Amino acid sequence: MTAPSKIELRDIEQRFGGNVALSQTSLTVQAGEFVSVVGPSGCGKSTLFNILSGILRPTAGSASIDGRDVTGRPGHVGYMLQKDLLLPWRTALENITLGAALTGKVTKEDRDEAAAMAERYGLGDFLDHFPHAMSGGMRQRVALMRTLAFAKDVMLLDEPFGALDSQTRFEMQQWLLRVWTELGSTILFVTHDVEEAVFLADRVVVMSPRPGRITEVIDVDLPRPRTLDDLTDPRFMALKRRILSLIYGAPALETA
């Protein structure tokens, strides 16, 4: 018997009043995949995440994880936004264990697991630091550790590196790929940066302008691990050009 897909969105449609935000959108993601989602502003990328996370119940269609219907049922995925949303009065360790604090008492086991994970991924020396004493990259690492502590299995990352400078952003991309490789999580990653989408993903989902729908799903046939050299590889550049042409159209690409 074939195992169910990790994530399956079936004929999702979302209306807000008389406006269609998402139109007949379906997507299947296998366990351990890293899938990037790109498209113009307002195409419904974040709406798709809100539906999959259970925050928003779609007008039509369904969402499932491991074959179980999770439509309109939160608590099955980790969800990280662009802003780190760290609580300024909590240390890094206390922010990482926030999920446990919100659902009950933080145990010694919770703290030990969070500390071990932070140590493994370069945050061991910052566990007692408050957010104001950390760099933007460090804050994003803490926010991702908090997401991992809540749900390592499926993570929805919505523009998590969008506010970082280019150098820090690339460092965070490499760091995220290391974490993903070692943990085997399934990741859906929204970004406006096509280069970032290609660099990180196994597949790139390209969405159309509103009403949003999936225009094409593109396989990224670049070997892993990815390095700085990949950014100038002809195959990488060809994928980037193809995705840009889908988003903006060939005439817009030629005049850019």
Side-chain angles (χ1 to χ4, degrees):
M1 183 176 179
T2 304
S5 302
K6 192 68 182 178
I7 297 170
E8 186 171 1
L9 298 169
R10 287 189 222 98
D11 300 323
I12 294 291
E13 183 176 303
Q14 184 62 54
R15 294 176 176 268
F16 297 106
N19 298 317
V20 180
L22 282 174
S23 174
Q24 289 292 308
T25 298
S26 297
L27 178 67
T28 299
V29 179
Q30 301 303 321
E33 270 198 293
F34 196 126
V35 175
S36 293
V37 183
V38 298
S41 295
C43 70
K45 300 185 294 293
S46 295
T47 298
L48 198 65
F49 270 25
N50 288 337
I51 290 169
L52 184 54
S53 67
I55 296 173
L56 179 66
R57 178 175 285 275
T59 307
S62 63
S64 63
I65 296 176
D66 291 324
R68 301 189 311 265
D69 191 339
V70 297
T71 312
R73 297 166 53 202
H76 297 276
V77 301
Y79 193 174
M80 179 179 167
L81 304 174
Q82 178 175 343
K83 293 183 179 179
D84 58 66
L85 300 178
L86 300 183
L87 299 182
W89 59 88
R90 285 179 172 264
T91 64
L93 180 61
E94 290 169 339
N95 269 289
I96 292 171
T97 57
L98 182 61
L102 294 175
T103 56
K105 184 179 179 182
V106 180
T107 65
K108 182 179 184 300
E109 182 180 2
D110 292 328
R111 288 191 292 271
D112 288 347
E113 287 182 359
M117 183 166 55
E119 181 71 35
R120 182 175 183 83
Y121 296 115
L123 288 172
D125 294 334
F126 299 88
L127 289 177
D128 295 327
H129 285 55
F130 289 93
H132 69 83
M134 292 184 285
S135 67
M138 283 295 176
R139 290 169 63 103
Q140 290 301 89
R141 290 190 188 199
V142 172
L144 184 58
M145 291 295 102
R146 179 181 60 196
T147 305
L148 286 168
F150 181 77
K152 296 183 180 69
D153 202 25
V154 177
M155 291 194 295
L156 312 181
L157 308 181
D158 193 351
E159 289 273 8
F161 308 145
L164 302 177
D165 63 83
S166 59
Q167 182 177 341
T168 304
R169 186 172 184 141
F170 185 70
E171 291 172 355
M172 288 299 298
Q173 290 167 359
Q174 292 181 306
W175 180 81
L176 175 60
L177 287 177
R178 177 192 166 198
V179 173
W180 167 70
T181 300
E182 293 185 2
L183 294 180
S185 304
T186 304
I187 294 180
L188 277 174
F189 187 100
V190 161
T191 178
H192 281 92
D193 188 325
V194 172
E195 188 169 279
E196 178 174 67
V198 175
F199 182 76
L200 292 173
D202 297 313
R203 293 186 295 153
V204 177
V205 174
V206 184
M207 297 189 67
S208 70
R210 186 184 292 261
R213 60 181 178 82
I214 294 175
T215 303
E216 193 168 335
V217 180
I218 297 173
D219 292 327
V220 180
D221 56 347
L222 298 172
R224 296 188 185 274
R226 308 268 165 84
T227 68
L228 187 62
D229 291 338
D230 287 306
L231 298 178
T232 52
D233 186 292
R235 294 170 297 176
F236 185 98
M237 300 301 293
L239 287 167
K240 180 179 175 181
R241 177 174 291 277
R242 180 180 173 191
I243 294 168
L244 285 170
S245 69
L246 287 170
I247 295 173
Y248 300 109
L253 186 59
E254 292 170 357
T255 58

